């Protein structure tokens, strides 16, 4: 079935940078598109960014475009989200999720438990 | 952006009774690639990550009990639990994937009456 384990969250000052990671196991990582979602305290789930299985196609929410970069290392079964110019409104639990196909279908059949990013102003 | 609105926010149901959760999209989510509605349902239990229940509005994910079913078309969709079990207590979310940005409903908290 597989497992996703996020890490790298923490406290960072507004304007700072942080990189969160997600290590995948139990499935062929390169055969699946991956996505980052987030949920701010007391708010709903928000799509942040997606990437195809090869890494050749990436997608971003308008709220993070130009500040966040999604990438993957298929040799290490790891997904990354590089977050720059962080703002208080980026404070959230960040979830790594797996798409059932190589291209981004858009629904998610495996979720990680999340890593908390807190941006202090 | 497509707005997904769930109702009700909270739903008390007796064990063994039917539970029905509604989800309305602000525009059609019919996917041109296969003429199916791009809608998924997830179950989230306390302390656990969400679990996929239904995709393409009515296709049950492998391993999901058949008491869970999805239906609907156009802009109105429904998740039905035919006979509520104690382990079904959770928050349920709908999500469209018709186009980016993907968006989720606000969630419906299902509880035992």
């Amino acid at each position: 079935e597989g497992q996703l384990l996020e890490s790298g969250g923490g406290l960072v000052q507004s304007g700072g940078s942080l990189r969160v990671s997600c290590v995948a196991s139990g499935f062929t990582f390169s055969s699946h598109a991956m996505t980052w979602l987030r949920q701010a305290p007391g708010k709903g789930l928000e799509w942040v960014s997606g990437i195809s299985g090869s890494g050749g196609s990436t997608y971003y929410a308008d709220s993070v475009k130009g500040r966040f970069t999604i990438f993957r290392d298929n040799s290490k079964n790891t997904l990354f989200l590089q977050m720059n110019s962080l703002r208080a409104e980026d404070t959230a639990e960040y979830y790594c999720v797996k798409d059932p196909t190589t291209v981004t279908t858009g629904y998610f059949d495996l979720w990680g438990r999340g890593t908390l990013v807190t941006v202090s102003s | 952006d497509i707005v997904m609105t769930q109702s009700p926010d909270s739903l008390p149901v007796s064990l063994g009774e039917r539970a029905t959760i509604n989800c309305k999209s602000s525009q059609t989510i019919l996917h041109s690639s296969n003429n199916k509605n791009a809608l998924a349902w997830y179950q989230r239990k306390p302390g656990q990550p969400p679990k996929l229940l239904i995709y393409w509005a009515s296709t049950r994910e492998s391993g999901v009990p058949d008491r869970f079913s999805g239906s609907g078309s156009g802009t109105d969709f429904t998740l039905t639990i035919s006979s509520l079990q104690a382990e079904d207590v959770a928050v349920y979310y709908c999500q469209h994937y018709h186009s980016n940005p993907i968006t989720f409903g606000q969630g419906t908290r299902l509880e035992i009456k």
Side-chain angles (χ1 to χ4, degrees), chain B residues 9-76:
Chain B
D9 290 333
S10 180
L11 179 63
V13 177
S14 300
L15 289 173
E17 295 300 304
R18 177 184 299 261
T20 301
I21 299 171
N22 301 300
C23 176
K24 188 174 184 67
S25 58
S26 60
Q27 63 191 70
T28 181
I29 53 175
L30 193 64
H31 210 282
S32 57
S33 65
N34 59 5
N35 217 37
K36 293 182 179 182
N37 290 289
L39 184 101
W41 288 96
Y42 301 90
Q43 174 193 64
R44 187 173 196 176
K45 296 182 179 180
Q48 297 182 21
K51 173 188 173 183
L52 177 66
L53 297 175
I54 303 285
Y55 56 97
W56 295 120
S58 61
T59 302
R60 196 179 303 115
E61 171 73 338
S62 175
V64 173
D66 60 8
R67 63 179 181 275
F68 290 90
S69 64
S71 62
S73 62
T75 61
D76 293 286

Side-chain angles (χ1 to χ4, degrees), chain B residues 42-46 88-93 106-110:
Chain B
Y42 301 90
Q43 174 193 64
R44 187 173 196 176
K45 296 182 179 180
D88 299 335
V89 169
V91 178
Y92 293 83
Y93 295 93
Q106 79 277 16
T108 294
R109 186 173 303 276
L110 181 59

Side-chain angles (χ1 to χ4, degrees), chain A residues 35 37 39 43-47 59-62 93 95 100 104-114, chain B residues 1 31 40 42 44 47-52 54-56 61 93 95-97 100-106:
Chain A
T35 291
L37 305 173
Q39 187 166 28
K43 302 288 188 180
L45 288 160
E46 180 187 13
W47 172 77
Y59 311 89
Y60 298 94
D62 287 346
E93 192 83 31
Y95 296 96
T104 51
T105 307
Y107 64 92
F108 312 114
D109 61 0
L110 183 65
W111 294 56
R113 292 186 172 271
Chain B
D1 298 1
H31 210 282
Y42 301 90
R44 187 173 196 176
Q48 297 182 21
K51 173 188 173 183
L52 177 66
I54 303 285
Y55 56 97
W56 295 120
E61 171 73 338
Y93 295 93
Q95 174 227 326
H96 90 83
Y97 48 98
N100 288 335
I102 292 162
T103 56
F104 290 81
Q106 79 277 16

Side-chain angles (χ1 to χ4, degrees), chain A residues 24-87:
Chain A
S25 60
F27 62 95
T28 304
F29 183 65
S30 60
S31 294
H32 294 273
M34 299 293 294
T35 291
W36 287 100
L37 305 173
R38 68 184 180 184
Q39 187 166 28
K43 302 288 188 180
L45 288 160
E46 180 187 13
W47 172 77
V48 175
S49 180
I51 187 168
S52 61
S54 67
S57 297
T58 57
Y59 311 89
Y60 298 94
D62 287 346
S63 58
V64 306
K65 201 172 294 182
R67 300 187 300 122
F68 289 13
T69 302
I70 189 172
F71 60 102
R72 61 194 297 162
D73 184 341
N74 285 345
S75 69
K76 296 182 177 178
N77 292 347
T78 305
L79 175 72
F80 300 95
L81 185 68
Q82 176 68 40
M83 302 181 287
N84 298 331
S85 303
L86 282 160
R87 307 166 180 166

